[in-house]
Amino acid sequence: MPQTPHLSDAQLAQFQSQGVVKIDGLLSLQGVADARHAVLRRMEALGLWGNGKWRLDHVERPQWPATGLKPARDIGHRHPELEALIDEPAVRIAVEHLSGGGPFDRKVWPRPQILASLPNAPPWSLPGGWHVDAPRLASRLSPGLQLFAFLEPVEPRGGGTLVVAGSHRLLNAGRHLKVKAITSALGAEPFFRQLFDSQSKLACPAVLPEGRVEGVPLKVMELTGQPGDAWLMDLRILHAAAPNGSDRPRLMITHRFVPNARVPEIAEAFGWA
Ligand SMILES: O=C(O)CCC(=O)C(=O)O
């Protein structure tokens, strides 16, 4: 049983200001090992894993944005070992602490998803595809939290999701905004216009972009970590999948925690019946 995570004052302050925080060792190592085994069984069936090693030599290297794997088709998301991770007590406590409390909806996003990519770079470059998965709410409240966790080590430039820390503080103007309206409003700002501009994609930038919009400091950050580590992200944060410049597959899981109390407003914002 993992220890109850204690979020330090610095972590809480970081979550407030940046909308994303890393919690080392949030998931139990046994739980992660079980989930990793479930995924590796599928990788073995695909010929990508065997005798305790990755077997990528016979596979043509995909080129970003191709990832070489379709997790839903090749691995499947319905694994009890994966679902067990999001129900671990330490995860629940951290998510409830940061989101203001459960219970959480399981209809919109019923189970965790695998995020997987084979090595598909160099050169590593800033990606396109920046998006959010939830609307801005007229109440200005956060729609919920997204968990990202690692089944395999993910080092810098190793395919970890990229996020624009601080972006949750923008566009909370007291009216609903759907996801396309959010990216197009952000794209009117020079910082985001440059980030979204595929012509300006720098191969292997030494430093990830930083900027300021409406007085809010913004910073592109890469979600990296070791098995068991997790990041919790406000669902308002702009984010994108990234190339995998390492020599090993990237294996992460993600899950979106939406408090039941937020669902009616999200449904209204999206225009669901
Ligand atoms: O890291 C990835 O593959 C992208 C994750 C993502 O965009 C999402 O979960 O919404």
Side-chain angles (χ1 to χ4, degrees):
M1 173 84 62
Q3 298 230 302
T4 302
H6 176 72
L7 286 162
S8 66
D9 289 347
Q11 283 173 308
L12 292 172
Q14 185 193 340
F15 185 75
Q16 292 297 323
S17 66
Q18 298 198 321
V20 62
V21 67
K22 185 177 186 191
I23 308 179
D24 292 335
L26 179 67
L27 278 69
S28 72
L29 288 180
Q30 187 59 55
V32 171
D34 293 345
R36 179 173 175 271
H37 267 109
V39 173
L40 290 182
R41 276 200 298 276
R42 298 296 179 99
M43 295 291 199
E44 196 158 17
L46 294 170
L48 297 172
W49 173 264
N51 294 329
K53 285 198 292 216
W54 289 110
R55 308 209 158 269
L56 305 178
D57 292 350
H58 64 289
V59 188
E60 197 179 332
R61 195 184 179 97
Q63 279 302 308
W64 171 260
T67 57
L69 283 171
K70 289 206 184 335
R73 182 196 66 193
D74 297 334
I75 304 169
H77 297 304
R78 288 175 185 258
H79 297 278
E81 297 89 342
L82 293 182
E83 298 202 24
L85 289 178
I86 63 162
D87 287 327
E88 288 199 352
V91 172
R92 291 284 153 164
I93 291 168
V95 169
E96 288 188 13
H97 193 117
L98 292 178
S99 68
F104 298 98
D105 174 74
R106 290 292 276 259
K107 290 205 191 88
V108 183
W109 286 294
R111 62 186 61 82
Q113 289 173 272
I114 311 243
L115 302 173
S117 44
L118 299 183
N120 59 1
W124 190 95
S125 53
L126 278 168
W130 293 93
H131 65 281
V132 288
D133 300 302
R136 289 293 196 269
L137 302 179
S139 63
R140 299 186 169 89
L141 293 170
S142 167
L145 289 185
Q146 187 164 358
L147 168 93
F148 293 89
F150 307 92
L151 301 184
E152 287 271 278
V154 176
E155 307 287 346
R157 313 304 196 254
T161 313
L162 295 181
V163 305
V164 182
S167 55
H168 65 306
R169 291 163 61 186
L170 302 171
L171 302 177
N172 296 296
R175 62 191 176 92
H176 296 318
L177 276 183
K178 291 189 192 170
V179 295
K180 276 204 179 127
I182 295 169
T183 39
S184 80
L186 291 177
E189 297 287 344
F191 171 81
F192 289 103
R193 196 178 316 129
Q194 199 179 1
L195 191 64
F196 297 170
D197 176 7
S198 58
Q199 301 308 309
S200 72
K201 297 286 171 277
L202 282 176
C204 285
V207 180
L208 296 176
E210 293 187 24
R212 188 174 278 272
V213 169
E214 291 175 2
V216 175
L218 302 168
K219 188 172 166 182
V220 175
M221 287 171 57
E222 207 176 355
L223 306 189
T224 59
Q226 298 298 311
D229 296 344
W231 290 79
L232 289 171
M233 180 189 89
D234 187 309
L235 272 175
R236 290 172 294 183
I237 289 274
L238 190 77
H239 59 283
N244 179 357
S246 78
D247 56 6
R248 64 192 302 159
R250 185 254 325 214
L251 283 184
M252 295 168 61
I253 66 152
T254 190
H255 184 65
R256 299 173 186 85
F257 292 89
V258 174
N260 280 344
R262 288 290 91 69
V263 174
E265 213 191 342
I266 292 174
E268 194 186 334
F270 274 141
W272 295 337

